Amino acid sequence: MKLFNDKGYEATTIRDICNEIGITAPSFYYYFDSKELLYLQMIKECEALHQAVITEAIDNCPSQIAEDRLKYIFEALLKFYRDHPDPYTFLLRNTLFPVASMKEKIREMSNIWKVQFSEQIAGFVESSQKRRMPKLEAAGLIKSYHRFIVGYVLQLVNGLLEPTDDVAEEAWNLYWNGIK
C-alpha cells in the first residue's frame, strides 16, 4: 500500500512489491493473478476498515443528539486517519482519483460504499434527537457531511492542515455553523 501511495499504481511493479515484502514473484502469483487484482483487493480491505470505524462509532456514541453523533463519527474517522494514514490515504485517492485502467471497477466499488455510508449515516441521524439541526433535508445533510469529511481528510493527506484536535474542532464548528 505504501508503494502504491508513494509511487502510484503504474510506477509500482510486481518486482517492487515482492522486494518490499520479501517474497518471490511466483509466491506473489500464487495469491494474486495480477497487480490489478491485488490493488482491487486492497481497496476492498481499506473500505472494510473504514466501514468498521463508522460502525464502531455508531455503536459506541454516547449521545442521542444528531449533531453530537455526526461529530463523533467525524472524530472517529480522524482518529483512524491518524492511526492508519496509509489505508485512509489509499482509499481516498482511489475514490477521488481512480487509476485510469481500472476507473470503472473502482468507481463501481466506490459507489456501493457511498450508498452504504449514506444509508448508515441517514439511519443514525434519523434515530437521533433533532435539537439544533440545520434546515436541510436528510439527503442534503448526508451529502454535505460526506463532502466535509472527504475535503477535510484530503487536506490532511496533502499536508494543508495539521492533524490536531484544535484544527479539527475549528473545522467542525465552521462546517456545522455553516449549514445551520
Side-chain angles (χ1 to χ4, degrees), residues 124-141:
F124 193 49
V125 169
E126 195 57 39
S127 67
S128 304
Q129 294 176 9
K130 306 298 187 287
R131 291 187 290 174
R132 303 184 313 258
M133 283 292 287
K135 293 175 177 48
L136 288 174
E137 292 183 21
L141 176 63

Side-chain angles (χ1 to χ4, degrees), residues 3 12 15 46 49 61 77 80 153:
L3 286 171
T12 301
R15 178 175 287 151
C46 289
L49 283 171
C61 183
L77 290 171
F80 174 63
V153 175

Side-chain angles (χ1 to χ4, degrees), residues 81-149:
Y81 171 75
R82 290 175 189 144
D83 294 347
H84 309 285
D86 286 334
Y88 210 138
T89 299
F90 183 77
L91 181 59
L92 186 63
R93 284 187 177 153
N94 281 288
T95 300
L96 297 174
F97 313 107
V99 174
S101 62
M102 295 181 276
K103 189 174 189 174
E104 291 306 314
K105 290 178 186 174
I106 293 171
R107 287 269 159 95
E108 185 178 311
M109 292 166 57
S110 294
N111 287 338
I112 291 168
W113 171 76
K114 284 178 193 174
V115 168
Q116 290 171 340
F117 174 86
S118 296
E119 289 173 353
Q120 193 170 20
I121 300 300
F124 193 49
V125 169
E126 195 57 39
S127 67
S128 304
Q129 294 176 9
K130 306 298 187 287
R131 291 187 290 174
R132 303 184 313 258
M133 283 292 287
K135 293 175 177 48
L136 288 174
E137 292 183 21
L141 176 63
I142 302 308
K143 282 181 184 177
S144 73
Y145 182 67
H146 182 258
R147 289 175 181 149
F148 164 68
I149 291 173

Side-chain angles (χ1 to χ4, degrees), residues 5-6 9 15 23 26 30 37 43 52 59 72 84 102 111-112 117 122 146 162 167 170 176-178:
N5 280 345
D6 292 346
Y9 176 79
R15 178 175 287 151
I23 64 170
Y30 178 78
L37 289 176
I43 292 172
D59 292 345
Y72 193 81
H84 309 285
M102 295 181 276
N111 287 338
I112 291 168
F117 174 86
H146 182 258
E162 291 295 319
V167 172
E170 181 182 358
W176 192 257
N177 291 329

